[in-house]
Amino acid sequence: QEDTKISDTGNVDTNSGNKQPNSENQNPLDNNSSNEGNDSSTDNQNSSENKDTGLLKAEAEAAYKNAQELFNSGKYYECAEALYSVDLSYLDSDARTAAEKLYSDAVDKFATEYYYQMYGNVSSQNWAEVIKYGEAVYKHCPGYPNPALYFELGKAYENTGNKEKAKEYYNLTIERANGSEYAGYAQYRLSELG
């Protein structure tokens, strides 16, 4: 099983080296140190940034507290979403470490269940549910080890008319599972889509 965590900037990392789609976000705290020694107009900007930092810290603390309650209520996906949506670098080191572990534990608890929910909807061709559950797993586990995740998402998008998204997931299937039967199926679907 992959080691999933939230980085210092609040983005999800896995030991496979993949990043979440929002990995281009930078730590806003890095920007504050570059303004030292500037004129008084910059001092006003720094004061404003400090206020923003306080609000962001409060937001991160509230999200962490909310995530703890969600986890304790068995709402693991919602817990992961709460932590994913904020920049945890505003938490103190101990709280950030605890939040990262909470996120990892929540993902571990919901990912397999959601994968099976996705796969169960394939046979009934309930494509909206396949997409809902499959995208949730992919968002929080971008290196999910089972290639069926990517292939079935491709098939769901193809069957709902989103050919570009289908191609994206078929290509991902080939990339992640080259030489597997799923890669062969994906290659065939890509040739059919043109």
Side-chain angles (χ1 to χ4, degrees):
Q1 197 172 54
E2 287 195 338
D3 181 22
T4 305
K5 65 176 186 164
I6 300 179
S7 70
D8 288 344
T9 59
N11 298 318
V12 178
D13 295 320
T14 65
N15 65 1
S16 65
N18 295 312
K19 302 265 188 243
Q20 285 296 323
N22 65 352
S23 64
E24 70 275 4
N25 294 339
Q26 295 179 359
N27 184 343
L29 295 177
D30 293 343
N31 296 330
N32 291 339
S33 63
S34 65
N35 291 327
E36 291 178 18
N38 292 340
D39 63 21
S40 62
S41 65
T42 305
D43 290 341
N44 290 336
Q45 181 182 358
N46 285 340
S47 174
S48 173
E49 288 174 0
N50 288 338
K51 184 176 181 181
D52 291 343
T53 299
L55 291 173
L56 291 170
K57 180 177 180 177
E59 181 183 77
E61 289 169 345
Y64 176 47
K65 181 179 179 186
N66 181 42
Q68 289 174 313
E69 292 170 4
L70 290 166
F71 188 92
N72 291 335
S73 299
K75 297 178 179 178
Y76 306 117
Y77 176 73
E78 293 83 354
C79 171
E81 281 289 296
L83 292 170
Y84 182 83
S85 66
V86 296
D87 185 345
L88 297 178
S89 69
Y90 290 99
L91 295 175
D92 66 51
S93 179
D94 290 342
R96 183 171 53 241
T97 300
E100 290 169 352
K101 181 173 181 346
L102 181 64
Y103 176 82
S104 180
D105 291 348
V107 170
D108 286 347
K109 295 226 181 241
F110 87 80
T112 302
E113 176 190 335
Y114 271 41
Y115 170 79
Y116 286 118
Q117 288 286 337
M118 178 208 74
Y119 207 77
N121 281 289
V122 170
S123 60
S124 62
Q125 297 184 357
N126 188 346
W127 303 120
E129 291 295 296
V130 170
I131 291 169
K132 172 185 161 185
Y133 288 109
E135 286 287 1
V137 173
Y138 181 67
K139 176 180 181 180
H140 293 284
C141 301
Y144 197 77
N146 191 328
L149 173 70
Y150 314 111
F151 179 76
E152 298 301 348
L153 278 168
K155 193 162 70 171
Y157 279 114
E158 181 180 356
N159 282 291
T160 57
N162 190 338
K163 305 242 186 281
E164 291 307 310
K165 200 77 168 159
K167 289 178 183 179
E168 178 184 323
Y169 277 106
Y170 288 145
N171 281 317
L172 192 57
T173 304
I174 294 165
E175 175 187 316
R176 299 280 174 88
N178 197 10
S180 74
E181 66 180 320
Y182 284 106
Y185 298 149
Q187 189 64 50
Y188 174 75
R189 294 307 319 141
L190 283 169
S191 69
E192 291 291 308
L193 289 172

